[in-house]
Amino acid sequence: MDSRGFGIRFFFAALGVIIAFSMGTFFHCIAVLSPYYLLSQSQLPARRSILLSPPSNPFSGLVSAYRQRHLYLGVVAFAAILADILPITLAHVPFSLVETAYTQLVCTYLSITILAVVFLVVATSFLVRWPHMPIDPRTIVGSLFYVHDSRIMASFDGLAVVDKDKRDRIMQHIGAKYVFGDMTGMSSKRRMGIDEWHGSGWR
């Protein structure tokens, strides 16, 4: 693009910020949904499910994806990291007298590559078979909804005043596995939620 004005450079940088922010929001949504998705696919121990905290940023998201063994979460985290570079690369796409043509060319192709990766990652989310979730799990109400009326709450009896490390050790020592799906709660009503899995069915 042949332009020497500050306005077009500012526009490209602002566009990069918007895309990076949007990708960050998308990452956080996937990070919250990830444990529910994995629990809907198979039974998982506490350390890979209910004891996990959603990653706060894409870098910790890579670590979380490794611990959960969730490839798509890792890909989204990587794409979000790349998207954070876009404000810089896009700002150097318009022509400037103080930059070399090589710099402009590299930033242009780098921006195109990052945008292509981001587009493919977001498009892939429509191919993932996410579990049915009537309530948004990103809220406190949503999180409580999926454990309410579940026998899993009995496992936490007496752990409210225990520090996190000791609580995690106790839960791992119990050795239970957990699943997410259509369940029968303690009230004998059918609902979507998380519960312990013992043998061939819900506890």
Side-chain angles (χ1 to χ4, degrees):
M1 179 173 289
D2 204 7
S3 177
R4 303 178 185 181
F6 171 77
I8 189 65
R9 296 171 66 85
F10 178 80
F11 171 78
F12 270 65
L15 182 62
V17 171
I18 293 173
I19 295 174
F21 177 79
S22 300
M23 195 60 198
T25 301
F26 180 75
F27 161 75
H28 286 295
C29 292
I30 298 299
V32 172
L33 290 175
S34 177
Y36 296 93
Y37 170 75
L38 295 177
L39 284 169
S40 70
Q41 300 297 308
S42 61
Q43 306 86 39
L44 297 176
R47 63 183 177 83
R48 289 184 55 198
S49 54
I50 63 173
L51 295 182
L52 286 175
S53 299
S56 58
N57 59 73
F59 293 97
S60 60
L62 292 175
V63 178
S64 182
Y66 173 76
R67 290 177 177 174
Q68 296 182 51
R69 295 173 176 81
H70 191 188
L71 177 61
Y72 185 66
L73 175 61
V75 172
V76 173
F78 179 70
I81 293 173
L82 291 181
D84 286 336
I85 307 174
L86 272 177
I88 300 175
T89 59
L90 283 176
H92 292 280
V93 170
F95 178 76
S96 174
L97 292 176
V98 297
E99 295 176 355
T100 64
Y102 179 75
T103 300
Q104 182 194 20
L105 188 63
V106 170
C107 288
T108 299
Y109 282 111
L110 188 58
S111 298
I112 293 173
T113 302
I114 294 175
L115 287 172
V117 170
V118 168
F119 174 79
L120 289 175
V121 169
V122 174
T124 303
S125 68
F126 294 98
L127 303 178
V128 178
R129 191 172 182 179
W130 301 102
H132 171 63
M133 305 191 75
I135 302 294
D136 188 349
R138 292 174 297 177
T139 64
I140 296 178
V141 174
S143 298
L144 292 176
F145 174 84
Y146 294 112
V147 296
H148 173 69
D149 199 28
S150 169
R151 295 172 181 83
I152 194 176
M153 299 304 295
S155 301
F156 286 93
D157 284 348
L159 298 181
V161 295
V162 178
D163 64 85
K164 181 180 182 299
D165 292 337
K166 185 176 181 179
R167 180 206 65 192
D168 291 354
R169 288 196 299 269
I170 293 174
M171 294 301 298
Q172 292 184 49
H173 180 72
I174 292 174
K177 289 189 175 182
Y178 305 87
V179 291
F180 176 80
D182 186 19
M183 58 169 279
T184 300
M186 297 181 66
S187 62
S188 299
K189 295 181 179 179
R190 302 293 297 181
R191 54 189 296 280
M192 295 296 294
I194 300 174
D195 210 338
E196 295 180 4
W197 179 273
H198 287 261
S200 59
W202 300 96
R203 182 176 175 180

